[in-house]
């Protein structure tokens, strides 16, 4: 059976969690393929909010197997804490499996993330300070520790000894920070954490392939988003993994021919956290309205997100980069009561009109958005569940998006709850 990828098409926080949750209803396996607990997927079920960082959204359905794939970086202390918190609220996490090849986030990764951000000063990236970048850097440098190392204390200690010598030297000599104690780390990871994580470790590649071979439904759940992608995002203001759909193959261990559906999640406007270019960014009263009505504060970090109008240039690019086959639009209700709406349809730079994202990022930093103005609507959408009951202006807004990006909008969310959405599917 084919696999479905769910991917963010903007700078993250599009509301992927609520759609992965919705789609998970029909899935047998839900697989996270990259990122770590820098993600914060918020799902509201019957008015009760769940914030998931590492555990795939499918955990909330008793019939899905949630899988943490090989491409994810895992702080096992966070994993254990998140499972305990879910269990305390009556959610069964016993089906959760974790790839033995997933890399571990270690205490020195946090130290290095924080120290690097501090030393970058005004050029800092605005990371989540969860050690994500340093963990992926070690993976690429081939000095990372993996989940499976938790099963072999001798190997774990050997690797830790070697790597900690280097990390402590950097922390002390470059950043003037205190050295970390290897024994303390080993005791925490091997003594307390390993026994809790060991039962979750599995050969996830075989599990996923067996499921596909048996005709089961597999969903690959992206975290962060297209323009935070290490290769295709606004580098260096990106995360250190590949959220784009190609990353779903690498981070789960399947080939591209298994994927037949790619759902691109797009917020009805755009937000971004952290630094980096943002052509359609707005400020003033409209910004305040989007932030307050849309509760645009980080699920994890509480940071205020930067808001802007929907950027169709970037959305078109995201559709190409990910082979998006349909778009699920989120937070349409937040736009209610704005008298006029804007869509960024192209950019202008150096007297020229640009219809595509410029490949030279210095240009992207100075482009000016070219907007098309559309009528707004005053109606509250939060109770709307059918296309016919959407105000005409809202339908026109959606139709203009479809026309600009060339793929259909199949869902529009009109509120945070699991059931607050409109389906356009025939
Ligand atoms: P890192 O992933 O913590 O290294 O942060 C790198 C960049 O990605 C920063 O600009 C973060 O704000 C951004 N980022 C990381 N995770 C998320 C997310 O889940 N939503 C939105 N932005 C994120």
């Amino acid at each position: 059976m084919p696999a479905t990828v769910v991917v963010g098409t903007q700078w993250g926080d599009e509301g992927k969690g609520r759609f992965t949750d919705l789609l998970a209803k029909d899935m047998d396996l839900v697989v996270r393929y990259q990122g770590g607990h820098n993600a914060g997927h918020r799902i509201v079920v019957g008015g009760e909010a769940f914030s998931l960082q590492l555990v795939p959204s499918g955990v909330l359905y008793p019939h899905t197997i949630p899988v943490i794939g090989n491409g994810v970086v895992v702080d096992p202390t966070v994993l254990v804490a998140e499972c305990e918190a879910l269990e305390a609220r009556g959610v069964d996490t016993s089906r959760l499996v974790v790839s033995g090849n997933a890399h571990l986030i270690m205490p020195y990764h946090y130290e290095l993330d924080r120290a690097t951000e501090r030393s970058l000063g005004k050029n800092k990236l605005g990371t989540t300070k969860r050690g994500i970048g340093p963990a992926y850097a070690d993976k690429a440098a081939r000095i990372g520790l993996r989940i499976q190392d938790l099963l072999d204390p001798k190997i774990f200690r050997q690797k830790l000894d070697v790597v900690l010598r280097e990390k402590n030297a950097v922390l002390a000599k470059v950043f003037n920070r205190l050295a970390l104690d290897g024994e303390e780390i080993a005791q925490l990871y091997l003594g307390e954490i390993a026994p809790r994580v060991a039962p979750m470790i599995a050969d996830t590649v075989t599990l996923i392939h067996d499921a596909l071979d048996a005709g089961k439904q597999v969903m690959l759940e992206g975290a962060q988003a297209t323009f935070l992608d290490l290769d295709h995002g606004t580098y260096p203001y990106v995360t250190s993994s590949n959220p784009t759909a190609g990353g779903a193959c690498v981070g789960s261990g399947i080939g591209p021919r298994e994927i037949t559906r790619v759902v691109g999640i797009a917020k009805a406007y755009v937000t971004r956290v952290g630094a980096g270019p943002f052509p359609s960014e707005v400020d003033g009263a409209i910004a305040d309205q989007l932030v307050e009505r849309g509760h645009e504060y980080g699920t994890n970090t509480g940071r205020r997100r930067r808001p802007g109008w929907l950027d169709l240039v970037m959305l078109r690019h995201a559709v190409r980069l990910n082979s998006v086959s349909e778009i699920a639009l989120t937070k349409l209700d937040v736009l209610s009561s704005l008298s006029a709406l804007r869509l960024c349809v192209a950019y202008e730079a150096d007297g020229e009109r640009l219809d595509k994202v410029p490949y030279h990022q210095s240009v992207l930093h100075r482009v000016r958005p070219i907007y098309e103005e559309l009528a707004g609507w005053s109606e509250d959408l939060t109770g709307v569940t059918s296309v016919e009951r959407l105000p005409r202006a809202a339908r026109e807004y959606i139709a203009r998006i479809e026309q600009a990006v060339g793929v259909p909008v199949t869902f529009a969310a009109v509120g945070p709850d699991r059931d607050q959405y409109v389906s356009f599917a025939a």
Side-chain angles (χ1 to χ4, degrees), residues 11-13 38-40 113 125-129 132-133 224 228 238-239 273-275 303:
W11 279 290
D13 308 311
N38 48 347
D113 201 351
L125 305 177
T127 74
T128 59
K129 301 197 181 80
I132 306 293
Q224 292 83 49
L228 290 173
V238 293
T239 195
V273 245
R303 287 185 289 178

Side-chain angles (χ1 to χ4, degrees), residues 41-336:
H41 290 170
R42 190 166 182 275
I43 299 162
V44 182
V45 185
E48 204 185 339
F50 292 86
S51 276
L52 303 171
Q53 297 181 7
L54 259 178
V55 176
S57 305
V59 73
L60 299 179
Y61 290 103
H63 64 272
T64 64
I65 300 181
V67 180
I68 295 181
N70 55 276
V72 176
V73 284
V74 178
D75 176 337
T77 64
V78 172
L79 178 62
V80 168
E82 195 170 325
C83 287
E84 281 174 358
L86 284 166
E87 290 283 344
R89 295 177 67 184
V91 178
D92 175 19
T93 61
S94 63
R95 291 161 288 118
L96 177 67
V97 291
V98 184
S99 165
N101 285 358
H103 276 246
L104 288 170
I105 296 182
M106 305 292 290
Y108 44 81
H109 293 138
Y110 287 85
E111 291 288 327
L112 288 166
D113 201 351
R114 281 194 288 262
T116 307
E117 282 285 89
R118 230 184 341 254
S119 85
L120 284 170
K122 67 176 180 34
N123 294 321
K124 73 176 181 187
L125 305 177
T127 74
T128 59
K129 301 197 181 80
R130 307 271 153 105
I132 306 293
Y136 277 115
D138 281 1
K139 175 177 176 177
R142 295 161 296 181
I143 53 168
L145 276 79
R146 296 188 290 176
I147 286 273
Q148 59 181 287
D149 296 326
L150 292 172
L151 300 176
D152 191 333
K154 196 165 149 233
I155 294 280
F156 184 96
R157 282 176 185 277
Q158 262 174 18
K159 289 187 175 176
L160 180 62
D161 268 0
V162 173
V163 75
L164 195 58
R165 228 174 300 143
E166 181 206 302
K167 300 299 176 192
N168 275 341
V170 172
L171 283 171
K173 293 183 183 147
V174 179
F175 295 116
N176 202 20
R177 311 285 304 160
L178 291 176
L180 298 181
D181 183 67
E183 193 44 42
E184 248 175 54
I185 297 175
Q187 273 182 22
L188 172 66
Y189 277 58
L190 294 174
E192 278 180 47
I193 298 298
R196 318 274 282 281
V197 174
M200 303 179 197
I201 304 176
D203 173 2
T204 54
V205 172
T206 300
L207 182 77
I208 295 167
H209 281 277
D210 286 351
L212 288 167
D213 291 347
K216 298 204 165 144
Q217 293 280 356
V218 175
M219 179 167 71
L220 306 160
E221 175 185 6
Q224 292 83 49
T226 301
F227 295 107
L228 290 173
D229 185 280
L230 183 58
D231 288 79
H232 299 289
T234 46
Y235 191 90
Y237 306 105
V238 293
T239 195
S240 296
S241 64
N242 292 112
T244 45
C249 291
V250 181
S252 65
I254 65 169
R257 286 196 301 151
E258 306 286 356
I259 298 168
T260 55
R261 184 182 183 197
V262 180
V263 183
I265 312 294
K267 205 182 305 205
Y269 48 98
V270 182
T271 58
R272 170 163 208 172
V273 245
F278 185 173
S280 63
E281 186 166 12
V282 291
D283 54 19
I286 290 177
D288 290 343
Q289 170 161 349
L290 293 175
V291 168
E292 295 314 319
R293 292 185 54 139
H295 308 289
E296 297 296 353
Y297 296 92
T299 313
N300 271 339
T301 57
R303 287 185 289 178
R304 180 182 155 116
R305 299 175 183 144
R306 299 157 59 193
W309 295 113
L310 184 60
D311 184 337
L312 296 175
V313 184
M314 298 211 104
L315 191 55
R316 240 183 340 250
H317 194 46
V319 166
R320 281 186 150 179
L321 287 170
N322 296 292
S323 297
V324 166
S325 51
E326 65 191 275
I327 286 178
L329 207 59
T330 60
K331 293 196 164 178
L332 190 63
D333 55 300
V334 173
L335 297 181
S336 288

